Amino acid sequence: MKLFTPGPVTLPNEVLKAMTKPIISHRSSAFKKLYEEIELKLIKLLDTKNGMIAILAGTGTTAVDAMAWSLTKRGEKVLVPIAGEFGKRLAETLQRRGADVVKLIVNPRKGNEFTKVAEYIERRDVNAIALVHNETSTGLTYRDLETLAKYCRKYDIKLLVDAVSSFCGEELSLRWGLTAIAIASHKALAAPPGVCFVVLNEEAIETLKRYELNDVPLLLDLRKYVEFNARKETPYTPTLSVLYAVNATLARVLKIGISRFIEMHRERASLLYKEIPKLGLEPYVVEERYRSNTVATFLTDVSAAKIKNELEKRGFMIATGMGELKERMIRVGTMGDLSLDDVRRLINTLNEVMTQLNNQQSKH
């Protein structure tokens, strides 16, 4: 079964093999070495020398929650641009934290224009902006992030970024001035689920020292991770087997080169956007500039669930839409151990499926 889902993804053999290494104590010198190797590789990929990496056991949502709960406080005004279900989830997390959340609803089909966010910053007094870099539910990427980061520095505004499905699939750098980035193992990085990271810049570390976080669950309290990072340990038991896989896949990305690795995702997505509309499906994101490299989304007049089920019978797993788009959208991931030939085979199989389903529909 080839996974063309927005995560988890099909893994390279060397990454799977890495998980078979013996379990070690997370208080051992061997673990400190593993920690240091992972941290160094992540810092290289995120183009920074001054960042700190918090390693957490959990999903991408765990990292986003830790970032939101630790780097905002009750009553702070946080602007959240929303272009899909994960933007809504980020806003909900911040509301539960007690932040004063301002929701900026944007049209995901036309793009998350920087001007809308910039104009709002100039009109209102906000302490932070929290956004989803790559909205997996709609296939939209916020490609004005570097410009927004410069704007936030000008107004001394924290910028918290959910990059769970963009890291290693989209250009991303802590050097832009991002306060914190939440990432996970099981998306474009192409490792198993179970490990996530919060990348902190120097400003974020100073913020953690100032804030009272006694109301934050221990697992999400990033001060603990800063403290243990000094001795290259995690405060709680990590997902060791997945960390082995993460170390292996990070080495793979660095060997390929991050620019080339991102381009591989873009090539797969471009092929999907070139060929799938010929089968009668409409790209959801109209503006090409904002179309995600890691998940391509299409509207369909045929049941999305039926398309998904028929493809699964033929050895391909995709995803349907989320929320109100569940039955009207298919989402095709481009992450993991996939080649352009795999993408072509999926497209050819989708052509067979659409012909079959359209014939069935016409008979009724």
Side-chain angles (χ1 to χ4, degrees):
M1 180 70 68
K2 277 289 184 179
L3 297 181
F4 281 85
T5 55
V9 300
T10 301
L11 303 181
N13 288 331
E14 64 264 35
V15 176
L16 288 169
K17 186 178 178 181
M19 295 181 68
T20 64
K21 292 183 177 181
I23 296 297
I24 57 176
S25 168
H26 63 299
R27 301 292 179 236
S28 66
S29 58
F31 180 78
K32 294 178 194 293
K33 183 174 182 294
L34 176 63
Y35 188 115
E36 287 175 340
E37 289 178 4
I38 290 172
E39 184 176 47
L40 180 61
K41 291 182 177 81
L42 283 170
I43 285 172
K44 283 182 180 178
L45 290 174
L46 287 163
D47 186 33
T48 180
K49 294 181 180 178
N50 301 317
M52 194 220 89
I53 313 293
I55 301 177
L56 294 81
T59 68
T61 301
T62 310
V64 173
D65 285 355
M67 177 177 70
W69 278 74
S70 292
L71 292 172
T72 64
K73 58 184 178 181
R74 292 185 181 278
E76 275 193 325
K77 185 172 286 187
V78 183
L79 177 66
V80 182
I82 297 176
E85 296 299 317
F86 290 95
K88 293 176 185 176
R89 186 182 297 182
L90 178 56
E92 182 181 354
T93 293
L94 288 159
Q95 287 174 323
R96 293 188 179 204
R97 171 68 182 114
D100 178 9
V101 175
V102 180
K103 299 178 183 179
L104 178 61
I105 308 299
V106 297
N107 186 343
R109 301 208 67 188
K110 295 185 176 180
N112 205 352
E113 298 92 341
F114 164 72
T115 51
K116 291 184 178 180
V117 183
E119 289 169 2
Y120 198 94
I121 293 172
E122 291 179 336
R123 290 201 313 267
R124 304 287 183 92
D125 178 25
V126 296
N127 304 105
I129 295 176
L131 59 83
V132 178
H133 185 209
N134 185 75
E135 177 54 71
T136 318
S137 70
T138 56
L140 178 137
T141 299
Y142 189 95
R143 292 213 170 89
D144 302 310
L145 188 56
E146 184 177 4
T147 305
L148 177 61
K150 292 177 183 177
Y151 216 75
C152 287
R153 288 200 304 275
K154 176 182 176 182
Y155 288 92
D156 194 26
I157 293 170
K158 290 176 293 188
L159 181 54
L160 311 180
V161 180
D162 171 351
V164 169
S165 63
S166 63
F167 177 60
C168 286
E170 298 281 349
E171 187 178 355
L172 184 69
S173 173
L174 197 66
R175 202 184 291 267
W176 293 345
L178 312 181
T179 307
I181 307 170
I183 59 182
S185 59
H186 64 288
K187 300 281 188 175
L189 185 56
V195 168
C196 58
F197 308 90
V198 181
V199 187
L200 306 167
N201 73 1
E202 291 176 324
E203 175 197 350
I205 295 170
E206 290 303 312
T207 297
L208 291 172
K209 293 176 182 177
R210 294 195 312 268
Y211 279 10
E212 289 289 336
L213 299 177
N214 296 330
D215 55 346
V216 176
L218 286 175
L219 181 64
L220 306 181
D221 185 349
L222 291 178
R223 291 178 307 178
K224 299 284 185 183
Y225 296 86
V226 172
E227 176 188 340
F228 277 77
N229 176 268
R231 52 184 184 267
K232 303 309 171 191
E233 292 181 4
T234 56
Y236 316 110
T237 306
T239 319
L240 281 159
S241 295
V242 180
L243 283 177
Y244 285 135
V246 166
N247 199 28
T249 201
L250 287 170
R252 176 174 174 264
V253 174
L254 287 168
K255 183 179 180 180
I256 293 170
I258 184 60
S259 295
R260 176 58 191 150
F261 199 76
I262 292 170
E263 179 64 13
M264 287 161 60
H265 289 81
R266 190 199 65 78
E267 288 172 352
R268 296 170 200 153
S270 294
L271 183 55
L272 291 168
Y273 276 114
K274 178 184 176 183
E275 299 297 332
I276 288 183
K278 297 176 183 177
L279 310 182
L281 292 93
E282 178 187 358
Y284 182 72
V285 179
V286 177
E287 294 186 28
E288 292 184 17
R289 178 173 180 263
Y290 291 102
R291 288 176 182 170
S292 167
N293 289 341
T294 62
V295 56
T297 54
F298 300 89
L299 293 175
T300 172
D301 293 328
V302 179
S303 164
K306 288 181 179 178
I307 295 173
K308 175 179 177 291
N309 292 339
E310 290 300 324
L311 283 173
E312 188 174 352
K313 291 176 185 177
R314 293 164 170 82
F316 297 95
M317 178 68 75
I318 64 165
T320 59
M322 297 179 68
E324 61 185 22
L325 293 170
K326 185 172 180 60
E327 269 300 302
R328 296 184 56 239
M329 174 189 283
I330 63 167
R331 297 181 296 145
V332 186
T334 64
M335 301 170 282
D337 189 23
L338 299 173
S339 67
L340 285 176
D341 281 341
D342 291 325
V343 178
R344 293 186 185 100
R345 282 191 287 270
L346 169 70
I347 293 167
N348 290 336
T349 306
L350 179 59
N351 185 24
E352 295 172 9
V353 168
M354 293 304 298
T355 300
Q356 173 188 321
L357 293 177
N358 282 324
N359 288 339
Q360 290 175 357
Q361 190 165 284
S362 64
K363 289 178 182 179
H364 294 287

